[in-house]
Amino acid sequence: NNGEGGIFSLYALVKRYGKKLVIPAVFGATTLLADGIITPPISVASAVEGLGMVNGLQDIIVAGNNVVVGLVVVILSLLFFFQRFGTQVIGKFFGPIMAVWFSMLLLVGISQIINHPDILKALNPYYAYEMLTQYPKGFWLLGSVFLCTTGAEALYSDLGHCGIKNIRISWIFVKTSLVACYLGQAAWLMHQNEDFLNGRNPFFEIMPSWFLLPSIIIATLATVIASQALISGSYTLINEAINLNFWPRVAVRQPSELKGQIYIPSVNNVLWFGCVLMILYFRSSEHMEAAYGFSITITMMMTTLLLGYFLRFRLKWNKY
């Protein structure tokens, strides 16, 4: 929609077909906003906790201790602080880092696939059908796939920040790297004993021992950048919501001359406060996994408030 993405941008194109289309539009937007509160702390915490696998740091970096929590809070605070300078400034560092990150995923994934090529059978969709029909709890496992929807929405919302051509071209390399890495981790898992995990992280287990520390550093930087995608996507959503009169008028700044580069201080502060609160309360990435339900609760609350605001004041449906 004139170079902009996001679910509200899509709604602006289809709203003439019916007022009720606002319901899925608002629900999708609030789902992304809620995901923006849970994803940054859990992603950064999981990467920082990987330092506990490095020799000499086992007793210092322990999931949930004050050192890990403090590091996560500092990283998140710096990330939200630099938002005021625009994604153009920090994007200069993000591009090379992400190129290294996805190259690393591709190489370690291929190394495991070469050792265990039988994992390529997992690409057969028949096994997905078999899991859903024969495994009693197979359907509930799809819940772990749900975040792909908010990830896709974040990518769609970032069209104005990144440019559609950049996304279209780079996604070929990105998806290939991701699939290779997932297959590599699965290959490692399939060839372990019955207690194959026992507290271990498959991602860091497939890393060469000499590359463990650099991989943790790269993973930490990558999680920060992944959080950036949700943050900038949230700016886009709120800006579009303001234009559609779904959201109260708040200050919207343009930190650079590039189209799509926006910064909303109020949204930035709310997201920062929510992320810090999440890590202070749950303290570890393992505990935050249970917070996905909490995230959905936030989504439903925000959906109710936004829908109530729209129906009551914009459509003049006083009976609501």
Side-chain angles (χ1 to χ4, degrees):
N1 186 10
N2 296 321
E4 294 293 338
I7 196 167
F8 281 143
S9 181
L10 178 62
Y11 170 74
L13 299 176
V14 301
K15 63 180 181 180
R16 64 180 180 273
Y17 295 106
K19 293 181 178 180
K20 291 184 178 180
L21 289 173
V22 69
I23 297 177
V26 172
F27 181 79
T30 51
T31 300
L32 176 64
L33 292 175
D35 192 26
I37 294 178
I38 181 64
T39 295
I42 194 174
S43 300
V44 176
S46 61
V48 173
E49 289 167 2
L51 289 172
M53 301 177 59
V54 179
N55 292 332
L57 296 179
Q58 297 92 333
D59 297 330
I60 300 176
I61 305 297
V62 180
N65 69 357
N66 292 332
V67 175
V68 173
V69 173
L71 285 174
V72 174
V73 170
V74 170
I75 293 174
L76 291 175
S77 298
L78 289 174
L79 174 63
F80 282 100
F81 172 78
F82 281 104
Q83 295 303 313
R84 66 193 64 197
F85 303 113
T87 51
Q88 178 191 15
V89 176
I90 54 181
K92 294 179 180 179
F93 302 97
F94 284 179
I97 293 173
M98 293 310 290
V100 173
W101 164 249
F102 286 113
S103 298
M104 181 184 74
L105 297 186
L106 180 63
L107 292 175
V108 297
I110 291 177
S111 67
Q112 294 296 317
I113 295 174
I114 293 176
N115 294 332
H116 309 290
D118 54 320
I119 194 60
L120 293 176
K121 295 180 181 178
L123 296 176
N124 188 341
Y126 170 76
Y127 293 106
Y129 169 79
E130 188 178 49
M131 181 191 73
L132 293 175
T133 56
Q134 299 185 20
Y135 182 63
K137 298 181 180 179
F139 177 80
W140 300 107
L141 291 176
L142 294 179
S144 61
V145 186
F146 176 74
L147 286 182
C148 292
T149 60
T150 51
E153 169 59 16
L155 182 69
Y156 183 37
S157 299
D158 284 338
L159 283 175
H161 295 262
C162 304
I164 188 171
K165 291 184 178 180
N166 290 334
I167 293 177
R168 282 177 173 173
I169 295 174
S170 62
W171 185 247
I172 300 172
F173 171 63
V174 169
K175 185 172 183 178
T176 302
S177 301
L178 290 173
V179 172
C181 185
Y182 293 149
L183 289 174
Q185 293 180 66
W188 179 85
L189 286 170
M190 293 292 289
H191 293 82
Q192 301 300 310
N193 298 324
E194 293 184 1
D195 57 341
F196 54 86
L197 279 180
N198 194 23
R200 294 182 294 175
N201 187 321
F203 177 75
F204 291 116
E205 289 293 335
I206 66 176
M207 294 290 174
S209 57
W210 59 269
F211 192 67
L212 179 59
L213 182 58
S215 68
I216 294 173
I217 295 175
I218 296 173
T220 303
L221 295 174
T223 57
V224 171
I225 299 172
S227 302
Q228 172 64 52
L230 285 167
I231 295 171
S232 57
S234 299
Y235 296 155
T236 301
L237 282 177
I238 296 300
N239 185 55
E240 292 171 348
I242 294 173
N243 295 332
L244 292 170
N245 291 325
F246 288 176
W247 193 269
R249 294 285 172 178
V250 295
V252 178
R253 301 177 182 175
Q254 294 180 325
S256 70
E257 296 180 355
L258 292 179
K259 181 182 178 181
Q261 298 284 307
I262 58 176
Y263 167 67
I264 305 179
S266 58
V267 175
N268 190 72
N269 294 336
V270 170
L271 290 178
W272 171 81
F273 179 78
C275 290
V276 172
L277 189 63
M278 292 292 288
I279 185 61
L280 291 178
Y281 182 79
F282 292 100
R283 301 190 69 83
S284 69
S285 60
E286 180 180 1
H287 293 160
M288 275 188 284
E289 290 177 1
Y292 283 122
F294 177 67
S295 179
I296 296 301
T297 302
I298 295 177
T299 299
M300 298 307 297
M301 292 175 59
M302 296 178 67
T303 302
T304 303
L305 291 174
L306 285 175
L307 277 176
Y309 176 81
F310 179 77
L311 296 176
R312 180 71 170 83
F313 297 102
R314 297 302 173 187
L315 294 183
K316 308 299 183 183
W317 292 356
N318 294 328
K319 63 180 180 178
Y320 289 93

